[in-house]
Amino acid sequence: MTRRSETLLAFAGAVLIVVLAYAVPWLRFVLTIALAKGLAVLGILLLLRAGQVSFGHALYLALAAYTVAFGALAIPEALLLLPLAAILAGLVGLLIGLFVVRYREIFFGMLNLALSMVFYSVLEKFYALTHGADGIRLPPVTVLGRPLAGESGEWTVLGIALVLALACGALVRVALASPLGEALAGIKTRETRLDFMGVSPKRVLLAAYVASAVMAGFAGAIIALTTRHVTPALSYWTTSGELVFIAILGGAGSVIGPFLGAAAYELTRVYAAATFANAWQMVLGLVLLGVIVFAPGGIWGMIASRRRAA
Amino acid sequence: MAWLSENGILVGLALLDGLSYAAAVFMVAVGLNLVFGVLRVLNVAHGSLYAIGGYAAASIGLFAASLGAPPWLGLPILLAAAVLVGVVLGPLIERLLLRRMQDREPVLQLLVTFALFMILEDLQKLVWGVQPVVFDAPLKWLGTVDVPFGQDAIPFTAYQLYVLPGVALATLAILAYVLRYTLTGRMVVAVTVDREAARAMGIDAAKVTMLTFTVGAGLAALGGALAAPTVSLVPGVGASTIVLSFAVVATAGLGQIEGAAVAALLIGLGRSFAVYVAPEFEVVVPYAIMVAVLLFRPQGLFGVAETRRI
C-alpha cells in the first residue's frame, strides 16, 4: 500500500470517528479509549517489528495515568499533564529499557511482565497513597484554563487523542521505513548480522522501547482524562496482554492496524459485556483464536489482501 | 541473634510456610517448564489448569463428603481430580489448538495460549461461580503437628508439613528418574534438545509432545488440587499463579527440572519471609528475586546460554 493511500485512509478514519462520535454520543467514550489503546499498541508494533513481545507495557500506561491523577493536584492543566506523563513514562522506559534490551523473546516478555507486576503490587499495597484497588478519582482538570467537563470536555479529549494518534502514527510510519525500522526487522531475523554491520542491536531496540513507553504514556494519560478514575488494574498483566492482543487483531502490517484493532476490540468488548455479562472475556478469547487461526494478518491483513486481489 | 531468639517462632513459621508454598509452586512451574522444553511455547493457560484442578478437586471432595465419604478419602480425591483434569484437558488442548500452531510465529503461539486463558477463565466462573470455594477436609483430617523450633514448638498442619513437600519431592524424583533412565523420558529429552534430529532418528515427536503436554497439564492441576485445602479458591487465582510460575521458570532457566525446584524454594521462602517481615512487599519479592538473578545470569540460574547463530 502506498504512503499516499495510507495517509488518505488515516484521515478518512479520523473523519469517520468524528462523524460516529457525533451521531452516536455514547460512542465518544469508547472511541477515545480505542484511540488511546491504539496509541499504546503503536509502540507494541515497533517492538513486534523486532520480534519482541512485551507483556508489561501496562506499566507505562498506569504510570502515566497515575501521573495525571497525582499531577492534577499541583497543575490541573491537561495540556501540561499529558506531555509530563508521557515524558515520565519515557524516562522510566529508558531506565528499564537499559536493562531489558539485553534479553530476547520469552525473557524479554517475562521481564517486562515481572516489572509491571511489581508496579501493580506497589499501586495496590501502598493504600495510604494510592487507595489500593479502589483507585483514585481525578481532581478537576482544565484545558487552556477552561474546565474539562461535560460534553465539551469529552470532545476535547477525543480531539487530543485523535491529533496524537495521527501524529504518532505518521512518526512510526516514517520510523519504520527508516534505517532504524530496517534494523529493528534485522533483530527479528538475524541479529548477529547487525553486529557485523556495526549496528548495535541493543541501541536500536532501546530507541524503539523508549518510543513505545512514551506512546503508552500518552495512552495512559488519555485514559485517565477519559475515565477520570485510575486503578491498579491498569498495570495488571492482563492489560498488557490486551495490548498485544489488539496488535495481532489489527495486524502488524501497517500503522493503521493498531487503531483498527483497538476499535474492533473495544466495540467487541462493549457488545460482549452487554450481551454476555459473565462471559465477555470468553468471547474476546474466541475472537482472538479466530483471528490467529483464520486471519493471521489481522484486520489490516484482510483489507490489504482484498485490495491486492482487486 | 537476639532478634532470632525473639522472633524464633516467626522465623520458624515463615520457614515452614515457605516450604509448603514452594512445594505447590514447584508443581505448577515444573509442568510449565516441561511443556516449554518440548513445545517451545510458554503456556499462559497453564495457570487456568491450576485453577481448574483446584476447583475440580474441591467440587469432587465436597460432593463425596456430602455422600458421607470418610475423611481419609480426601487425599486420593485430590490426586484423582488432578489426573482427571490433566487427562481430559491436556490432549484436548494439545490436539485441537497447539498442534495446529506448531509452525507459526512464536508470538502467535503465545497469544493462542493467552486466548485459551481468557476462555478458560470465564468458563471457570460459569461453572464454579465467583464465590470462594473451600474444601479443607484433608487439612483437618490430618490435624496439626508440633514442630520444635529452639525452645519453642510451632503447631503446624500436618498436611502442609508432610503432604505438600512430600508430593513435590516425589514428583521431582519421579521426573528426574523418568527423564534420565527410561526410554520414554529419553525421547522427551531428545525432542527437547533437537526436535528435527529426534524425528530423524525415528522418534514420534507428535506423540512425545502430546504426552508431555498431558503430564504438564496434570502437574498444574495437581498443584491446584494440592493447594485447594490450604487456600480458598476465587476467580483470578489462575492469573496470579501463572505469573508466579513464570518468575520461577525464568529464575531457574528454561527447561530445567531441578532448577525449577531450587527457584521455587528460593521464591517460596523469599515470599513467606516477606509476609512476616514486610507484608506490603509480598507480591514484589518473587519478581525482585527473578530480576536479581537475571541481572547476573541472563539465562537463569541453571539455564544454558544458547549459542548465537550467524
Side-chain angles (χ1 to χ4, degrees):
Chain A
M1 175 155 293
T2 63
R3 178 176 296 186
R4 199 150 129 220
S5 52
E6 217 172 347
T7 314
L8 279 175
L9 212 62
F11 277 104
V15 172
L16 182 69
I17 286 174
V18 174
V19 171
L20 274 177
Y22 184 76
V24 194
W26 66 266
L27 268 181
R28 269 201 295 272
F29 179 82
V30 180
L31 289 171
T32 312
I33 298 286
L35 279 170
K37 286 192 178 157
L39 265 171
V41 175
L42 214 47
I44 301 280
L45 192 73
L46 272 177
L47 298 175
L48 271 179
R49 185 58 65 100
Q52 309 306 319
V53 231
S54 161
F55 261 104
H57 261 53
L59 164 68
Y60 304 107
L61 213 71
L63 182 73
Y66 272 88
T67 304
V68 169
F70 283 120
L73 293 171
I75 10 167
E77 169 59 49
L79 292 184
L80 289 175
L81 286 171
L82 261 164
L84 181 77
I87 289 170
L88 196 68
L91 285 176
V92 174
L94 178 65
L95 210 67
I96 293 181
L98 283 170
F99 170 61
V100 295
V101 296
R102 298 165 50 206
Y103 304 85
R104 294 291 175 273
E105 292 177 2
I106 291 189
F107 280 105
F108 179 84
M110 279 202 299
L111 274 170
N112 276 297
L113 171 87
L115 292 165
S116 79
M117 287 306 286
V118 169
F119 189 61
Y120 168 80
S121 41
V122 168
L123 288 179
E124 196 170 45
K125 297 283 170 175
F126 288 83
Y127 192 88
L129 199 61
T130 63
H131 292 277
D134 299 340
I136 314 176
R137 260 202 86 70
L138 224 64
V141 177
T142 60
V143 173
L144 295 173
R146 280 190 299 178
L148 187 71
E151 201 178 316
S152 72
E154 281 179 24
W155 277 109
T156 311
V157 181
L158 179 64
I160 293 172
L162 208 49
V163 169
L164 275 174
L166 287 171
C168 290
L171 279 175
V172 169
R173 162 91 214 215
V174 171
L176 284 179
S178 73
L180 178 94
E182 302 295 331
L184 275 175
I187 292 178
K188 184 174 177 177
T189 42
R190 273 289 190 273
E191 197 179 324
T192 327
R193 290 186 185 166
L194 283 184
D195 268 334
F196 288 162
M197 285 162 61
V199 180
S200 159
K202 279 180 197 166
R203 214 171 288 170
V204 170
L205 193 56
L206 183 62
Y209 191 84
V210 172
S212 72
V214 169
M215 283 185 273
F218 277 131
I222 292 170
I223 289 173
L225 290 173
T226 312
T227 58
R228 313 198 62 88
H229 188 233
V230 295
T231 64
L234 278 171
S235 66
Y236 201 58
W237 71 272
T238 47
T239 309
S240 304
E242 190 183 291
L243 297 179
V244 185
F245 177 160
I246 293 173
I248 301 297
L249 178 66
S254 154
V255 294
I256 294 178
F259 296 101
L260 279 175
Y265 178 87
E266 285 302 314
L267 288 172
T268 311
R269 189 160 92 148
V270 168
Y271 278 106
T275 322
F276 317 95
N278 296 316
W280 61 270
Q281 196 168 248
M282 186 190 286
V283 174
L284 281 176
L286 289 169
V287 169
L288 179 58
L289 267 189
V291 169
I292 295 173
V293 174
F294 299 112
I299 301 174
W300 178 255
M302 286 194 285
I303 296 171
S305 68
R306 189 151 302 160
R307 285 182 64 101
R308 232 174 287 127
Chain B
M1 281 327 270
W3 182 85
L4 187 66
S5 61
E6 253 173 58
N7 298 283
I9 295 223
L10 278 189
V11 173
L13 263 178
L15 213 63
L16 296 178
D17 262 355
L19 275 178
S20 79
Y21 184 71
V25 170
F26 165 75
M27 305 292 294
V28 192
V30 79
L32 186 70
N33 221 346
L34 208 60
V35 167
F36 177 82
V38 171
L39 280 82
R40 298 280 140 184
V41 180
L42 206 59
N43 180 19
V44 179
H46 201 72
S48 311
L49 294 168
Y50 167 91
I52 291 173
Y55 273 114
S59 299
I60 299 173
L62 290 173
F63 179 67
S66 74
L67 293 182
W72 60 264
L73 211 59
L75 287 177
I77 283 176
L78 294 180
L79 196 68
V83 171
L84 187 73
V85 170
V87 166
V88 171
L89 286 181
L92 203 67
I93 294 170
E94 201 276 328
R95 174 140 302 170
L96 289 184
L97 220 52
L98 297 177
R99 186 168 296 184
R100 290 157 188 260
M101 300 298 301
Q102 231 164 49
D103 305 320
R104 305 285 287 274
E105 266 187 74
V107 178
L108 292 183
Q109 295 186 344
L110 192 66
L111 269 172
V112 162
T113 67
F114 181 69
L116 187 64
F117 162 81
M118 293 172 89
I119 295 168
L120 290 178
E121 204 71 358
D122 269 1
L123 206 61
Q124 166 204 315
K125 267 185 233 163
L126 290 178
V127 175
W128 284 285
V130 292
Q131 295 302 319
V133 175
V134 185
F135 170 62
D136 56 1
L139 195 75
K140 282 189 179 139
W141 176 64
L142 283 168
T144 58
V145 182
D146 281 327
V147 184
F149 197 84
Q151 300 100 316
D152 309 302
I154 305 164
F156 204 72
T157 61
Y159 181 83
Q160 282 169 292
L161 191 64
Y162 300 125
V163 177
L164 282 175
V167 176
L169 274 179
T171 305
L172 177 62
I174 292 171
L175 275 179
Y177 175 81
V178 168
L179 289 177
R180 271 196 199 113
Y181 300 107
T182 67
L183 186 61
T184 319
R186 294 254 167 149
M187 290 205 280
V188 173
V189 173
V191 175
T192 303
V193 174
D194 191 334
R195 193 180 190 91
E196 289 316 307
R199 279 171 70 173
M201 291 173 75
I203 291 174
D204 187 348
K207 212 161 143 190
V208 169
T209 305
M210 166 95 103
L211 178 80
T212 312
F213 192 81
T214 305
V215 171
L219 284 172
L222 185 58
L226 285 176
T230 63
V231 294
S232 61
L233 294 157
V234 285
V237 64
S240 51
T241 306
I242 190 64
V243 284
L244 196 70
S245 333
F246 278 159
V248 170
V249 168
T251 310
L254 293 167
Q256 298 296 314
I257 303 294
E258 285 89 348
V262 175
L265 213 55
L266 210 63
I267 283 175
L269 286 175
R271 183 170 163 165
S272 81
F273 271 99
V275 170
Y276 290 99
V277 180
E280 307 84 48
F281 291 103
E282 178 204 338
V283 191
V284 182
V285 166
Y287 308 109
I289 294 175
M290 164 180 154
V291 169
V293 166
L294 291 187
L295 210 49
F296 297 103
R297 282 189 66 85
Q299 69 276 28
L301 277 179
F302 299 86
V304 186
E306 264 184 46
T307 43
R308 293 173 67 181
R309 292 171 304 166
I310 296 172

